[in-house]
Amino acid sequence: RGLGDVYKRQIVPFLRRLGARRIDLFVLSHPDQDHVGGFEAVHQSVPVFRILDSGHAVPRASYGRFLARAEEDGIRWLAAADGDAITLDGTMIQVLGPPPHTGSGVQTDGTNESSLLLRTSIDRALVYLNTGDATVEEEVELLSRIEPATLQADVMKVGHHGSRTSTSAEFLAAVRPVLAVVSSGRRNRYGHPHPEVVRRLSEGGVPRLWRTDRDGTLCVEIDRRRGWRIAGEDKWVRSLPLARVLTSQRGEK
């Protein structure tokens, strides 16, 4: 209930200010409570039409309620698989992981290892990598089967809210983001982002770090000709060369 209240106070008003009347695709990186718990509040105010889910089954009431509500309201549920791609209005969302063998079974220490890794290309103006709560182990596995250069992104969400168990130096060297974003609450009890991760970002040559606990909500503007910029700022950033944008995928959903 507490998490739902946060979404009602912050996320829902934000979506309304943007004029959102529906959500074409709701992505659940993995079914931990801090990721799935706000679905109900959002869906009640801004209807969700499709869900992309890692499909990692866990015996938790919150995830059961999430699936039940989706079925009750006839929301199309998509189980993401490595190599899948979804295209929406000039935006391509590509599933990079996890591989099938890490998305089955119940893990007693949580479901972070099953987090979806998504690479999103928006109008060829921005490449965004969302790592969810992926751990270093998942990063290593990804680097073992994907050419590192194809992981490059303009903007990267730092793994697991800035926990030191994610965002390895090797992974940063492959992604080479212009902007790294840490999603963490102000004065959060976990101390995110961890100082070690902040150090890795700095030593890895990441030009800019955005922390939601300190800098607030991040909004990025997209322009097909000029590239992207942080809302309210003057400087536009041109995206990666088109040759670096992944074009291969298993199939579209």
Side-chain angles (χ1 to χ4, degrees):
R1 287 196 299 270
L3 185 58
D5 290 340
V6 171
Y7 274 72
K8 287 179 181 178
R9 293 196 312 268
Q10 298 182 14
I11 304 301
V12 170
F14 175 73
L15 291 172
R16 287 175 174 168
R17 286 197 302 272
L18 294 178
R21 290 174 294 182
R22 58 182 275 177
I23 295 175
D24 290 315
L25 184 68
F26 181 98
V27 177
L28 178 65
S29 63
H30 62 299
D32 280 355
Q33 174 62 17
D34 60 329
H35 290 251
V36 73
F39 170 78
E40 187 75 18
V42 171
H43 178 54
Q44 286 178 347
S45 300
V46 186
V48 173
F49 281 72
R50 283 191 290 181
I51 292 170
L52 183 67
D53 187 358
S54 66
H56 182 85
V58 293
R60 296 178 185 170
S62 58
Y63 187 52
R65 290 192 297 268
F66 166 76
L67 295 176
R69 182 62 188 270
E71 182 177 12
E72 179 183 339
D73 289 358
I75 302 172
R76 186 182 176 192
W77 184 83
L78 305 174
D82 176 31
D84 283 348
I86 295 176
T87 301
L88 293 170
D89 298 329
T91 297
M92 176 176 283
I93 302 171
Q94 297 169 294
V95 180
L96 303 183
H101 69 274
T102 61
S104 61
V106 176
Q107 300 176 27
T108 58
D109 59 347
T111 59
N112 293 333
E113 293 80 359
S114 70
S115 278
L116 290 179
L117 286 155
L118 303 176
R119 192 175 195 265
T120 302
S121 304
I122 305 175
D123 279 338
R124 296 190 178 273
L126 171 73
V127 178
Y128 168 59
L129 184 67
N130 191 319
T131 61
D133 280 0
T135 62
V136 168
E137 287 74 19
E138 193 173 348
E139 294 171 3
V140 169
E141 193 282 331
L142 182 65
L143 289 171
S144 72
R145 60 186 172 85
I146 293 182
E147 178 63 33
T150 64
L151 289 174
Q152 291 182 28
D154 300 300
V155 180
M156 183 190 81
K157 176 194 169 294
V158 174
H160 200 190
H161 313 285
S163 166
R164 65 177 176 177
T165 58
S166 302
T167 319
S168 63
E170 293 76 12
F171 192 67
L172 280 174
V175 180
R176 296 166 54 188
V178 176
L179 174 65
V181 183
V182 174
S183 174
S184 59
R186 186 175 301 173
R187 294 187 294 274
N188 65 88
R189 60 176 175 162
Y190 302 102
H192 293 157
H194 195 279
E196 186 175 327
V197 172
V198 175
R199 177 180 58 80
R200 281 183 219 150
L201 291 165
S202 176
E203 293 179 352
V206 178
R208 187 167 182 181
L209 171 62
W210 185 285
R211 296 171 45 170
T212 60
D213 65 321
R214 182 186 63 194
D215 305 315
T217 301
L218 172 67
C219 293
V220 175
E221 297 178 352
I222 307 295
D223 184 278
R224 291 184 178 182
R225 293 181 296 105
R226 292 179 288 184
W228 62 276
R229 68 179 180 183
I230 295 176
E233 298 187 355
D234 295 329
K235 182 181 179 181
W236 289 91
V237 181
R238 290 196 177 277
S239 185
L240 302 168
L242 299 184
R244 299 182 190 172
V245 177
L246 282 172
T247 56
S248 61
Q249 63 274 343
R250 192 180 67 185
E252 294 193 7
K253 290 189 174 184

